[in-house]
Amino acid sequence: MEPFFALMQVVMTIITFTRANETTCTLQGQPVYPQLWKDGDIIIGGVFSFHSSWEIRQLTYSVTPPPLRCVSLNYRDFQYVQSMLFAVEEINNSSTLLPGVSLGYKIYDTCGSMAMAVRVTMALANGHENTTSDGPCTKQAYVQTILGDTTSSACMAMAKSIGPFNLPMISHYATCECLSDKTKYPSFLRTITSDYYQSRALAELVKHFGWTWVGAIRTDDDYGNTGMATFTKVAEKMGICLEYSLPFFRTYPEDKVIRIIEQIKSSTSRVILGFLVHWDLEVLLHKFVEYNITGYQWVGTEGWISDSVIASMDKHHVLQGAVGLAIPKTQVTGLKEFILDIKPLQSSGSAIFTELWESLFQCKYSTKNDSVFTTACTGKEELSQMQNSFTDMSLMPIFSNVYKGVYAVAHTLHDLLGCKEKCASKKQLDPLTFLKHLRKVRFKTKDGEEIYFDENGEAVAKYEVINWQPSKKKHDEFVTVGLYDASLPMKDRLAVNMASIVWANNVTKVPESVCSQSCPPGTRKAVKKGKPICCYDCIPCTEGEISNTTDSITCLRCHQDFWSNLQKDGCIEKETEFLSFEEIMGILLTTISIAGAFITMIIAFIFFTYKNTPIVKANNSELSFLLLFALMLCFLCSLTFIGRPTEWSCMLRHTAFGIAFVLCISCVLGKTIVVLMAFRATLPGSNVMKWFGPPQQRLSVLGFTLIQVLVCVLWLTISPPFPFKNLNYFKEKIILECDVGSSIGFWAVLGYIGFLALLCFILAFLARKLPDKFNEAKFITFSMLIFCAVWIAFIPAYVSSPGKFTVAVEIFAILASSFALLFCIFLPKCYLILFKPEKNSKKHMMGKMASN
């Protein structure tokens, strides 16, 4: 409750600024006094936490609470103050910078209280004298500028209080990105980089090490919450997921701390980002040791990564191997020696000097029974014989930031006061004018470092990548293993020497911290339901799809002429399938086709040799030779169906087949009609043969064939067959086939063949019981029966056969029907001609007729 009452006192003090229309200006509340002070022509204010805490008291709410009683000296802020005093002394002793003008200072202690920080800020702005003056409270600011505070939350409260008065404020260690908002904090500047860059740099660092599944603990204030929010936003864009992000503050009760411990223990991530200030990590470190929270890889901010006090406390190596970002190392000549020489402090503030001396040397100037120290202070103790956080110089970059802030004020004053050999004026300047020029100041330190503020009043973003490595010293050594420079292009900003890093648990390679293992090529990531995007399953790509990168989000479909390989990480050209002459089936069908054509030629030769014999003459030798020629064409046309389909082969195979078969069936039909006409001619008084003699037979064959030719010509003209890549039947194969083009044309050709075959079958069936002389009708009937059976079976087989087997079925139907005609019609006659020559005589034929 103490901060509440302190804040009430601040509010009362602010009233002095708002009562401008009053006739008197009176300090409201109790005055506060600086711990260190020095007079000068121009005064610089300082706000630091000499103490890190205060006594908790029970308040009665009946009387005004007494002033804070601060406890727990904070050596770090004493070092910051010494850095400020060192810069002031250098400037006052300089003959070139502000010659003839002396700088003084008023430095206050906040005790780590935000309310106290606001209160002392208002004291610096308004003065602390408990006097009453005539006139309104509109006087100029009491100090030229304010240096401090260390924490972001305190700076936010301070900067918001003095912002309306344009009183400049320069912080050396407040990094919260929120302080870059100049609409809220118009007079705030800092000599340290904003967390806007640190959060992004941390995200890039985590990504660089391949960690996509991390936990985080943040200080529950503006520094931790704002910085962590920025990190989370940037990390998500980089594919990094937070398993947890836990707030913590050093005043948290035990049950809250236990919940944090339990969350860490139950987590699967092995990397913890600590967006913490050193005070909070000190408290947590004890708890981590108590509950055995070890073996994690830590990533730290500049708030603790180079803090030797934290490292000294880490006796159980909880943080060993930690990596993080730190302010680049700098050197200020003479600063270290000045910090360690604290005796001059006695002239600036004897009370705070005494308290510091007694704490450093564990002694007491005035020993009493209730004193915790029994050793009396002599005043001759030497810091060179001590080793504690005050003598540690690991935070020299931050000391340098304080030093730079004082010099920025001095150089701005030097320019505005018109200083050359002497300054034209020694008066304190108007705050707004001073602020405008302070933002634009640019100078070099005595060690050659160039100092300036960017458009947001901040230092240029540069960090060192620090690694905690085992050392023979009292704590781990802070080794620089990389650099981050935000002024460089994105790809060049981060440079890390991976080989020089020592990881947690002394592992030899980068620790792994992922929710799911990387998905190899050939798979894709599928986010697990209810989990962050970093938690996923690796789903194999489906057939025909690939992924050729690790952790691919999607699988890419191969081009239609390509197919995925077995590993699904590359596309290979699809296998093309067609009935070729080289494969066994093609060779077999080719052999059968040629054999059929050869047998046909042999039979034709036999018939030609015995053309004058009765059997040949009796069966119409002219139609027989034409039929043999047509059958040979049928055998040979089947060869056009074998081989890679081309535009010409597709047109030829169907038209040649259609015309050859119609020619063949026309001849058979002619022979059947001849048999019927011949039987009619034997009847008394019949002269029917003169109506179907050889000329009519030739004409009928020609007529039937021309009709098919006309159908084929129309088919080829309107929509001819063409080579086609069938990608639908087999996904992994390309079936090269001939598309019929016009289905009507295709089925018209087959239908016409079927019509002639059916007509021939009917006529032959009617003539099957004619006298033996005309027994050819029986063979024609049988051949046509086989022919029709083959082609009826062909239709479903053709439709259902896959790929090249479709072509094989068609060839089989052609060959089967061709052999049926050849063997059924001509083989019996060849048998009689060759093996029963006695029956191949006119006498035998006439005798057989007589017996019938």
Side-chain angles (χ1 to χ4, degrees):
M1 293 301 296
E2 177 281 327
F4 170 77
F5 285 96
L7 188 59
M8 290 300 297
Q9 292 177 344
V10 171
V11 173
M12 296 300 296
T13 305
I14 294 176
I15 295 175
T16 61
F17 284 87
T18 60
R19 297 173 58 189
N21 58 339
E22 302 273 336
T23 58
T24 59
C25 181
T26 305
L27 178 67
Q28 303 296 315
Q30 295 297 318
V32 288
Y33 298 97
Q35 273 64 40
L36 297 171
W37 65 91
K38 180 180 181 179
D39 290 331
D41 297 321
I42 297 176
I43 304 298
I44 299 176
V47 179
F48 299 92
S49 296
F50 291 113
H51 299 83
S52 59
S53 187
W54 60 88
E55 281 188 355
I56 305 298
R57 294 165 296 181
Q58 296 296 326
L59 302 176
T60 63
Y61 301 96
S62 59
V63 295
T64 303
L68 285 182
R69 178 176 173 79
C70 302
V71 296
S72 301
L73 276 183
N74 179 18
Y75 291 156
R76 288 189 185 86
D77 279 52
F78 275 101
Q79 291 174 315
Y80 302 150
V81 169
Q82 283 286 75
S83 302
M84 176 180 171
L85 301 186
F86 176 68
V88 170
E89 292 300 320
E90 273 196 345
I91 295 165
N92 286 341
N93 293 327
S94 173
S95 60
T96 57
L97 185 61
L98 290 178
V101 177
S102 64
L103 295 180
Y105 49 81
K106 303 284 185 183
I107 301 176
Y108 285 84
D109 179 16
T110 68
C111 298
S113 166
M114 197 184 319
M116 181 59 75
V118 175
R119 187 178 180 191
V120 299
T121 300
M122 299 309 298
L124 286 170
N126 194 45
H128 58 79
E129 297 85 358
N130 190 9
T131 59
T132 300
S133 60
D134 296 332
C137 298
T138 56
K139 68 176 183 177
Q140 188 169 281
Y142 187 66
V143 294
Q144 187 69 75
T145 189
I146 297 175
L147 269 67
D149 189 3
T150 302
T151 65
S152 295
S153 294
C155 285
M156 290 173 66
M158 293 164 59
K160 191 172 287 187
S161 300
I162 61 175
F165 311 115
N166 298 307
L167 180 59
M169 173 180 170
I170 305 175
S171 175
H172 54 281
Y173 213 1
T175 59
C176 180
E177 180 185 349
C178 51
L179 287 164
S180 298
D181 186 353
K182 295 309 166 191
T183 59
K184 294 182 179 179
Y185 314 105
S187 64
F188 178 80
L189 298 93
R190 50 185 162 190
T191 51
I192 194 170
T193 304
S194 165
D195 282 338
Y196 171 86
Y197 298 102
Q198 179 175 218
S199 298
R200 283 160 174 75
L202 285 170
E204 289 185 39
L205 188 67
V206 170
K207 181 66 175 178
H208 181 80
F209 294 136
W211 299 325
T212 58
W213 187 238
V214 300
I217 305 176
R218 66 186 189 275
T219 294
D220 193 7
D221 63 4
D222 297 292
Y223 167 75
N225 293 330
T226 306
M228 200 67 229
T230 303
F231 173 86
T232 303
K233 183 166 57 178
V234 176
E236 285 179 355
K237 295 179 181 179
M238 295 183 177
I240 301 168
C241 299
L242 286 175
E243 184 178 11
Y244 56 85
S245 179
L246 305 174
F248 174 78
F249 200 72
R250 51 191 173 275
T251 57
Y252 269 12
E254 183 73 13
D255 61 323
K256 275 193 174 184
V257 178
I258 296 299
R259 285 199 292 270
I260 293 174
I261 298 296
E262 290 175 349
Q263 174 67 65
I264 295 174
K265 282 191 170 183
S266 63
S267 67
T268 58
S269 58
R270 305 306 302 169
V271 173
I272 302 176
L273 171 63
F275 218 113
L276 300 159
V277 296
H278 62 89
W279 288 332
D280 293 331
L281 187 55
E282 286 176 9
V283 177
L284 277 176
L285 200 55
H286 293 296
K287 295 296 180 182
F288 290 155
V289 173
E290 181 181 347
Y291 290 94
N292 194 30
I293 303 296
T294 58
Y296 290 89
Q297 176 63 53
W298 282 82
V299 179
T301 63
E302 39 70 34
W304 63 269
I305 195 65
S306 57
D307 195 305
S308 59
V309 175
I310 296 290
S312 299
M313 292 174 58
D314 188 22
K315 304 296 184 183
H316 294 80
H317 308 293
V318 173
L319 303 176
Q320 185 177 334
V323 292
L325 302 177
I327 308 302
K329 295 183 179 67
T330 55
Q331 290 295 328
V332 178
T333 306
L335 178 57
K336 177 181 178 181
E337 291 75 15
F338 187 91
I339 290 175
L340 296 178
D341 184 12
I342 62 173
K343 288 183 179 179
L345 277 178
Q346 189 170 10
S347 62
S348 299
S350 59
I352 195 68
F353 166 78
T354 300
E355 187 177 358
L356 174 62
W357 190 277
E358 290 177 345
S359 177
L360 282 173
F361 298 108
Q362 302 290 292
C363 63
K364 196 74 174 177
Y365 274 106
S366 176
T367 57
K368 297 180 181 179
N369 294 333
D370 60 348
S371 174
V372 295
F373 305 127
T374 57
T375 305
C377 296
T378 64
K380 296 181 180 180
E381 289 83 1
E382 292 292 337
L383 272 175
S384 58
Q385 300 173 358
M386 305 293 295
Q387 192 168 5
N388 52 34
S389 59
F390 188 83
T391 61
D392 178 69
M393 294 293 128
S394 60
L395 294 182
M396 182 60 73
I398 312 302
F399 308 157
S400 175
N401 286 346
V402 180
Y403 178 84
K404 294 170 188 174
V406 178
Y407 265 87
V409 173
H411 279 278
T412 305
L413 287 171
H414 186 88
D415 295 338
L416 289 175
L417 295 178
C419 299
K420 293 182 181 178
E421 293 183 0
K422 287 286 183 180
C423 295
S425 173
K426 297 183 179 182
K427 291 182 179 181
Q428 187 167 303
L429 298 170
D430 169 61
L432 181 59
T433 303
F434 182 77
L435 176 61
K436 289 180 179 178
H437 285 79
L438 180 61
R439 289 182 177 278
K440 299 176 183 177
V441 72
R442 197 179 191 105
F443 63 96
K444 285 188 177 182
T445 66
K446 63 182 180 181
D447 294 294
E449 184 180 358
E450 188 173 17
I451 307 299
Y452 61 92
F453 298 106
D454 65 11
E455 64 275 9
N456 291 322
E458 299 164 353
V460 179
K462 290 183 180 179
Y463 297 99
E464 289 181 350
V465 180
I466 299 297
N467 178 219
W468 285 29
Q469 298 187 3
S471 172
K472 294 180 179 179
K473 300 178 182 178
K474 288 188 175 181
H475 59 75
D476 287 348
E477 185 179 1
F478 306 139
V479 179
T480 301
V481 295
L483 295 170
Y484 181 88
D485 189 345
S487 64
L488 298 176
M490 179 68 75
K491 61 183 180 65
D492 300 325
R493 288 180 181 177
L494 181 64
V496 180
N497 183 4
M498 299 292 287
S500 63
I501 298 178
V502 175
W503 303 105
N505 299 323
N506 292 317
V507 295
T508 56
K509 61 181 182 178
V510 181
E512 192 175 74
S513 184
V514 294
C515 183
S516 301
Q517 294 296 325
S518 294
C519 289
T523 62
R524 65 174 177 85
K525 296 196 295 186
V527 178
K528 294 180 179 179
K529 188 175 181 180
K531 296 285 187 178
I533 60 172
C534 299
C535 301
Y536 47 81
D537 293 316
C538 297
I539 307 299
C541 293
T542 58
E543 296 292 333
E545 293 185 341
I546 66 158
S547 65
N548 53 12
T549 59
T550 302
D551 287 335
S552 177
I553 299 175
T554 58
C555 293
L556 303 176
R557 181 162 292 279
C558 294
H559 185 268
Q560 62 177 3
D561 290 343
F562 291 82
W563 193 249
S564 55
N565 57 13
L566 291 176
Q567 294 76 26
K568 307 292 179 58
D569 58 0
C571 291
I572 56 176
E573 194 170 357
K574 284 183 179 180
E575 177 187 351
T576 55
E577 184 178 90
F578 58 91
L579 187 59
S580 66
F581 289 102
E582 288 79 15
E583 61 181 296
I584 296 176
M585 187 185 298
I587 294 172
L588 183 61
L589 292 174
T590 300
T591 303
I592 296 173
S593 298
I594 295 174
F598 185 70
I599 293 171
T600 304
M601 291 174 63
I602 293 174
I603 293 174
F605 178 76
I606 294 172
F607 266 56
F608 181 77
T609 304
Y610 296 94
K611 62 183 177 179
N612 295 319
T613 60
I615 289 180
V616 176
K617 286 183 176 182
N619 290 282
N620 195 334
S621 60
E622 188 174 335
L623 285 180
S624 295
F625 282 113
L626 188 58
L627 177 57
L628 288 169
F629 173 72
L631 284 172
M632 187 169 65
L633 291 179
C634 289
F635 282 118
L636 294 177
C637 80
S638 64
L639 297 177
T640 62
F641 287 83
I642 304 175
R644 179 181 288 270
T646 63
E647 188 174 349
W648 285 103
S649 68
C650 287
M651 290 190 292
L652 180 62
R653 65 172 60 171
H654 289 99
T655 53
F657 151 72
I659 293 172
F661 257 84
V662 165
L663 178 60
C664 182
I665 301 300
S666 298
C667 292
V668 175
L669 184 60
K671 291 174 71 68
T672 306
I673 294 173
V674 166
V675 171
L676 288 173
M677 294 300 106
F679 175 74
R680 293 289 183 182
T682 59
L683 297 176
S686 177
N687 59 351
V688 71
M689 282 303 294
K690 70 178 183 178
W691 297 107
F692 200 73
Q696 288 80 10
Q697 295 171 21
R698 299 189 196 101
L699 190 61
S700 66
V701 172
L702 179 61
F704 288 135
T705 305
L706 282 177
I707 293 173
Q708 184 73 310
V709 171
L710 180 61
V711 172
C712 289
V713 169
L714 289 173
W715 182 17
L716 294 178
T717 303
I718 296 171
S719 181
F722 59 89
F724 170 68
K725 292 181 178 181
N726 189 337
L727 304 172
N728 299 323
Y729 204 95
F730 294 109
K731 292 182 179 180
E732 72 281 5
K733 293 181 182 179
I734 299 176
I735 306 299
L736 297 181
E737 58 187 17
C738 287
D739 191 284
V740 296
S742 172
S743 298
I744 296 175
F746 175 71
W747 291 109
V749 168
L750 290 182
Y752 184 61
I753 295 172
F755 168 72
L756 292 180
L758 183 61
L759 179 61
C760 186
F761 172 73
I762 293 171
L763 293 177
F765 182 78
L766 294 174
R768 72 189 186 286
K769 292 187 177 180
L770 293 179
D772 285 349
K773 180 185 176 183
F774 308 106
N775 208 25
E776 189 177 34
K778 295 180 181 179
F779 299 117
I780 292 174
T781 301
F782 188 64
S783 67
M784 295 314 299
L785 184 63
I786 297 175
F787 183 92
C788 292
V790 167
W791 285 100
I792 290 172
F794 159 78
I795 294 173
Y798 178 82
V799 172
S800 61
S801 297
K804 61 184 179 182
F805 297 102
T806 303
V807 179
V809 166
E810 195 167 358
I811 295 174
F812 175 78
I814 293 171
L815 294 177
S817 55
S818 297
F819 275 113
L821 290 173
L822 181 64
F823 289 158
C824 290
I825 294 176
F826 293 101
L827 203 59
K829 297 175 179 57
C830 290
Y831 175 76
L832 292 176
I833 292 171
L834 296 176
F835 301 105
K836 301 290 184 178
E838 66 278 5
K839 295 183 178 182
N840 188 13
S841 63
K842 189 173 181 180
K843 179 180 178 181
H844 179 76
M845 297 293 290
M846 293 305 293
K848 200 165 187 180
M849 284 185 64
S851 64
N852 291 333

